[in-house]
C-alpha cells in the first residue's frame, strides 16, 4: 500500500518515520554489514542499527496501543509522547557504537520536536531543521574522541544542509535537503578516513544514517530516494581492507591489536556520576560513547578489562542489561582476508529464557539463549541475530512465552529467507522449553527431532507463582495488589496471601491429573524455604514423582513449575 505523505511532524509522522526507517535498514542491513570496517571490522553495523530502530518502533507502537485509538483519530498520543517514546526505545535498545550514536541523534531530535510542538501540537520545517542541528551536536558531544569521515560527519552535513532550506520551507523540503547533504558527505568519507579509502567503501554508520534520513524524506513526500553508492569506483563493495584498524561510528580506536572486549550496559545514574564515569572509562579503553540523560544512560566502550568497565558503572550507579562481547584473536581484529569462515553446525536450538540462571542452564545444554528480562521481551531482530549466532543449517526455535509467538514467527520467516531451515515449537513457558531440550537429539532426522521436542513440550503442564501488581478480575475471582497468584497454563487458578501455601495449592492441582517429574525454577525474590517445602510435599504425597530444582535469577515470576 502506498504511503500517505505527512504534512507536519506530529505523532503519526513519528510513527510513520520509524516504521519506514526500519524497513529501509532491513533492506540495507546486509550491505551495511559488508562495508563495516571502522573502528572494528566486525560486520554488524547494519544489524546493530536495525535492532536499535526496531526497539524505537516497539516503544512508539506501545504508546499508540496505550491510547487504544486509531492513530488518525482525536485523542491519540501527542508529538511529545511519540517523540520521547522513540528516543527512549532507541536508548534502551541501542546496539554497538553505531546504534548508540543513532540513539543519541534520535534523542536530540525528540527534545527539539517535543519542545517545538507548542499548542498547535505539531512541528514544521523550521523545527525539523533545528532538531537535526541539535541532534548532530548532541551526538558529537556523546563521543569521547570524535573522528571525521564517520557517521558524525554525515550527521553534521545533514544538519548544515537542512539549514540552507528557504525560510518557511515545509518538512519535506527540509528533509530532502538533509538527505542530499548526508548523501554527499557519505561519498566523501573514504577521503577523510584512511581505512575506508584502503577498503574502497564508505562509512557503514553513515550509510545507515542516510537510510534513516531517506525514510524521513519518504514520510513527508511519499518519494523513496535512491540508495547511495557504498563503494568507490572500481572497488567491489565489502572488499577486504589492508588492515582492519577499526564499524561505522565516530569514535577513535580499533587497531588490529586493539581492546579485547566490547562492553555495553544501561545505567541509572546522576549527571555528575556519569561525568566521572566518562573519565574513568576513557582511561580504560577506546570507542567510548555515553548517551542518554534524565537519569538513564547507555554506555558503550571497547576495553581489555571488561570487569573494570562494569565496576566503573557500579560506582557511578546501577548498571543492567550488561552485554560483553569478546573480540577473539581470529575475529574482528584480524584482517578479513585472513579470516577462515567457521563451519556451520548441522542443527542448533535457540531459546528465549526469562532469567540469567535459566540462560546458563540452557547454554550448558547446548542452546543459544536469548535473555528476556521482566518487561523487556526480545524483538524479532534479536531472535534473528541469535539464529545467526547459532550458525547452523537447521534451527529449532523455542519462544517459551505465548506472547512471543508472533515475534518468533516473524524471526523464523526472516531466518528461512536467509537459507536456514527453522522449526518453531510454540512453547509457552521456559519449563516446556526445558522438557523439549531434554529430548533434543541432533543425530535424528530434523523432522523426527522436532516432533519429539514438540511432544515433550506439549506433555508438560506449566504454572507460575507471582505477586499481583494491581487489583484485577481473574478466573479465580478478584485479586488485590500484593496478593500471591498461582497461574496454571496461563490462567489464574489460585489467589493466596502466602507464597508457600499458594505454590502448594498450585502443585496439588497440577499433580491431581498425574505426573512423573516436577520442575521448580526459583526466582531471586522467592522465599528461600519454598523449594524445600514443595519437595517435601511431593515426596510425602505423591509416590514415584521426582523433583528437580533450578535457580532462575531475575525471571519476573517468583516460581515457575512444570509437571511432566
Amino acid at each position: 500500500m502506498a504511503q500517505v505523505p505527512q504534512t507536519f511532524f506530529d505523532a503519526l509522522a513519528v510513527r510513520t518515520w520509524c516504521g519506514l526507517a526500519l524497513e529501509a535498514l532491513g533492506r540495507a542491513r546486509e550491505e551495511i554489514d559488508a562495508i563495516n570496517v571502522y573502528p572494528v571490522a566486525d560486520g554488524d553495523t547494519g544489524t546493530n542499527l536495525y535492532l536499535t530502530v526496531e526497539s524505537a518502533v516497539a516503544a512508539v507502537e506501545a504508546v499508540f496501543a496505550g491510547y487504544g485509538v486509531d492513530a488518525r483519530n482525536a485523542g491519540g498520543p501527542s508529538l511529545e509522547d511519540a517523540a520521547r517514546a522513540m528516543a527512549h526505545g532507541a536508548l534502551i535498545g541501542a546496539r554497538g557504537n553505531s546504534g548508540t550514536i543513532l540513539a543519541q541523534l534520535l534523542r536530540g531530535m525528540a527534545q527539539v520536536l517535543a519542545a517545538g510542538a507548542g499548542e498547535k501540537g505539531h512541528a514544521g520545517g523550521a523545527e525539523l531543521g533545528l532538531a537535526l542541528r541539535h541532534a548532530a551536536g548532541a551526538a558529537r558531544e556523546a563521543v569521547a574522541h570524535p573522528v571525521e569521515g564517520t557517521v558524525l560527519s554525515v550527521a553534521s552535513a545533514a544538519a548544515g544542509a537542512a539549514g540552507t532550506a528557504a525560510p518557511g520551507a515545509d518538512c519535506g523540503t527540509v528533509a530532502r535537503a538533509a538527505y542530499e547533504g548526508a548523501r554527499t558527505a557519505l561519498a566523501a568519507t573514504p577521503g577523510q578516513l584512511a581505512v575506508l579509502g584502503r577498503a574502497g567503501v564508505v562509512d557503514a554508520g553513515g550509510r545507515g544514517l542516510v537510510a534513516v534520513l531517506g525514510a524521513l524524506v519518504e514520510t513527508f513526500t511519499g518519494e523513496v530516494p535512491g540508495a547511495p553508492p557504498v563503494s568507490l569506483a572500481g572497488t567491489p563493495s565489502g572488499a577486504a581492507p589492508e588492515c582492519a584498524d577499526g564499524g561505522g561510528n565516530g569514535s577513535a580506536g580499533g587497531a588490529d591489536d586493539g581492546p579485547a572486549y566490547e562492553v555495553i550496559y544501561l545505567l541509572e545514574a546522576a549527571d555528575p556520576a556519569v561525568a566521572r564515569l566518562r573519565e574513568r572509562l576513557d582511561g580504560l579503553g577506546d570507542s567510548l560513547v555515553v548517551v542518554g540523560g534524565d537519569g538513564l544512560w547507555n554506555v558503550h566502550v571497547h576495553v581489555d578489562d571488561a570487569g573494570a568497565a562494569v565496576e566503573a558503572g557500579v560506582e557511578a550507579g546501577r548498571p543492567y542489561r550488561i552485554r560483553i562481547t569478546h573480540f577473539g584473536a581470529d575475529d574482528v581484529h584480524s584482517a578479513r582476508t585472513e579470516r577462515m569462515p567457521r563451519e556451520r553446525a548441522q542443527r542448533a536450538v535457540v531459546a528465549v529464557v526469562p532469567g540469567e540462571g535459566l540462560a546458563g542452564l540452557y547454554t550448558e545444554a547446548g542452546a543459544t539463549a536469548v535473555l528476556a528480562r521482566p518487561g523487556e521481551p526480545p524483538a524479532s531482530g534479536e531472535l534473528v541475530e541469535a539464529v545467526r549466532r547459532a550458525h547452523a543449517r537447521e534451527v529449532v526455535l523455542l519462544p517459551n512465552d505465548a506472547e512471543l509467538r508472533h515475534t518468533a514467527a516473524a524471526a523464523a520467516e526472516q531466518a528461512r529467507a536467509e537459507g536456514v531451515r527453522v522449526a518453531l515449537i510454540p512453547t509457552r513457558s521456559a519449563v516446556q522449553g526445558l522438557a523439549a531440550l531434554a529430548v533434543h537429539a541432533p543425530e535424528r532426522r530434523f523432522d523426527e527431532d522436532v516432533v519429539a521436542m514438540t511432544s515433550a513440550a506439549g506433555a508438560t503442564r506449566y504454572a507460575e507463582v507471582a505477586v499481583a501488581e494491581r487489583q484485577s478480575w481473574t478466573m479465580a475471582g478478584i485479586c488485590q495488589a500484593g496478593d500471591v497468584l498461582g497461574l496454571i497454563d496461563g490462567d489464574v487458578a489460585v489467589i493466596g496471601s502466602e507464597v508457600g501455601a499458594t505454590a502448594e495449592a498450585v502443585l496439588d492441582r497440577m499433580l491431581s491429573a498425574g505426573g512423573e517429574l516436577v520442575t521448580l525454577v526459583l526466582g531471586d525474590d522467592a522465599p528461600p524455604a519454598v523449594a524445600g517445602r514443595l519437595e517435601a510435599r511431593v515426596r510425602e504425597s505423591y509416590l514415584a514423582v521426582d523433583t528437580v530444582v533450578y535457580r532462575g535469577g531475575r525471571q519476573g515470576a517468583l516460581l515457575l513449575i512444570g509437571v511432566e
Side-chain angles (χ1 to χ4, degrees):
M1 181 181 294
Q3 180 62 51
V4 178
Q6 303 300 307
T7 305
F8 299 105
F9 218 133
D10 56 10
L12 182 57
V14 173
R15 187 188 203 185
T16 302
W17 179 33
C18 287
L20 291 174
L22 187 65
E23 292 176 9
L25 288 171
R27 292 190 297 268
R29 182 189 60 77
E30 291 185 359
E31 172 192 281
I32 296 172
D33 283 346
I35 63 171
N36 174 194
V37 299
Y38 179 85
V40 176
D42 48 359
D44 65 355
T45 291
T47 298
N48 287 337
L49 290 169
Y50 181 89
L51 293 174
T52 301
V53 174
E54 186 177 46
S55 182
V57 168
V60 172
E61 290 300 323
V63 167
F64 274 87
Y67 278 83
V69 296
D70 185 276
R72 293 174 176 80
N73 291 339
S78 66
L79 171 58
E80 181 177 1
D81 293 334
R84 293 196 184 282
M86 172 186 71
H88 180 75
L91 176 67
I92 65 173
R95 298 298 186 95
N97 249 347
S98 54
T100 307
I101 292 173
L102 178 60
Q104 189 71 347
L105 288 168
L106 295 179
R107 175 181 170 82
M109 289 189 67
Q111 289 173 328
V112 173
L113 292 173
E119 294 183 1
K120 60 184 182 294
H122 60 257
E127 289 86 2
L128 175 56
L130 180 60
L132 288 165
R133 290 192 294 277
H134 180 69
R140 192 169 287 269
E141 290 176 3
V143 176
H145 302 286
V147 174
E148 299 307 321
T150 65
V151 64
L152 295 179
S153 303
V154 176
S156 295
T164 65
D170 60 17
C171 288
T173 301
V174 174
R176 188 179 289 107
Y179 173 80
E180 293 299 336
R183 184 182 169 111
T184 300
L186 177 66
T189 56
Q192 295 175 288
L193 201 54
V195 65
L196 300 179
R198 290 197 296 271
V201 298
V202 298
D203 178 67
R207 169 65 183 93
L209 180 58
V210 169
V212 172
L213 291 174
L216 189 64
V217 174
E218 186 179 358
T219 298
F220 292 108
T221 69
E223 303 170 5
V224 182
V230 297
S231 61
L232 303 183
T235 305
S237 172
E242 297 174 15
C243 172
D245 61 345
N249 66 80
S251 182
D256 281 359
D257 57 352
Y261 297 95
E262 177 186 59
V263 179
I264 307 173
Y265 50 80
L266 292 178
L267 177 71
E268 293 178 355
D271 289 7
V274 172
R276 293 190 295 271
L277 174 66
R278 290 179 193 268
E279 295 180 4
R280 173 83 180 276
L281 292 179
D282 195 25
L284 290 176
D286 59 34
S287 296
L288 173 61
V289 185
V290 181
V291 304
D294 301 321
L296 180 62
W297 309 82
N298 191 309
V299 179
H300 174 285
V301 67
H302 293 174
V303 294
D304 281 319
D305 189 345
V310 175
E311 289 173 5
V314 173
E315 292 176 4
R318 186 179 79 86
Y320 60 103
R321 290 186 70 171
I322 301 167
R323 295 192 295 272
I324 300 174
T325 303
H326 179 241
F327 296 145
D330 59 348
D331 191 24
V332 296
H333 292 298
S334 300
R336 292 185 179 184
T337 51
E338 300 172 357
R339 223 185 281 171
M340 295 296 292
R342 180 163 60 96
E343 180 66 24
R344 280 185 178 272
Q346 180 59 36
R347 191 175 307 158
V349 176
V350 173
V352 180
V353 291
E356 297 90 342
L358 276 175
L361 184 64
Y362 271 79
T363 301
E364 288 174 9
T368 298
V370 179
L371 186 61
R373 297 187 185 280
E376 300 175 4
S380 63
E382 293 180 74
L383 300 187
V384 173
E385 185 59 25
V387 171
R388 295 188 187 118
R389 288 201 314 271
H391 202 61
R393 297 181 182 89
E394 302 168 338
V395 170
V396 179
L397 183 56
L398 306 175
N400 291 339
D401 186 339
E403 298 297 322
L404 288 178
R405 63 186 185 279
H406 297 305
T407 300
E413 281 302 311
Q414 185 171 340
R416 290 180 189 122
E418 297 177 7
V420 182
R421 188 180 184 188
V422 181
L424 171 60
I425 297 178
T427 48
R428 295 176 291 175
S429 169
V431 291
Q432 287 189 324
L434 285 174
L437 197 56
V439 300
H440 170 52
E443 68 278 3
R444 280 195 296 235
R445 289 177 53 248
F446 186 61
D447 292 338
E448 292 175 352
D449 197 25
V450 171
V451 168
M453 295 176 72
T454 302
S455 177
T460 302
R461 299 190 69 195
Y462 66 95
E464 67 177 72
V465 176
V467 176
E469 296 181 355
R470 63 185 69 87
Q471 184 186 61
S472 180
W473 289 87
T474 76
M475 296 287 289
I478 301 175
C479 71
Q480 305 295 330
D483 283 348
V484 181
L485 306 181
L487 294 86
I488 299 177
D489 294 337
D491 293 322
V492 176
V494 179
I495 299 175
S497 58
E498 193 264 325
V499 174
T502 303
E504 278 189 347
V506 168
L507 191 57
D508 286 341
R509 290 198 184 194
M510 297 179 76
L511 287 173
S512 65
E516 300 175 354
L517 176 66
V518 172
T519 300
L520 304 175
V521 184
L522 275 67
D524 281 347
D525 296 328
V530 71
R533 178 173 175 174
L534 295 178
E535 285 183 291
R537 179 74 171 184
V538 172
R539 188 169 54 250
E540 295 167 3
S541 303
Y542 302 96
L543 298 177
V545 177
D546 295 323
T547 304
V548 293
V549 180
Y550 301 113
R551 296 286 173 179
R554 290 188 296 166
Q555 62 185 24
L558 297 174
L559 176 68
L560 300 178
I561 303 174
V563 173
E564 305 174 43

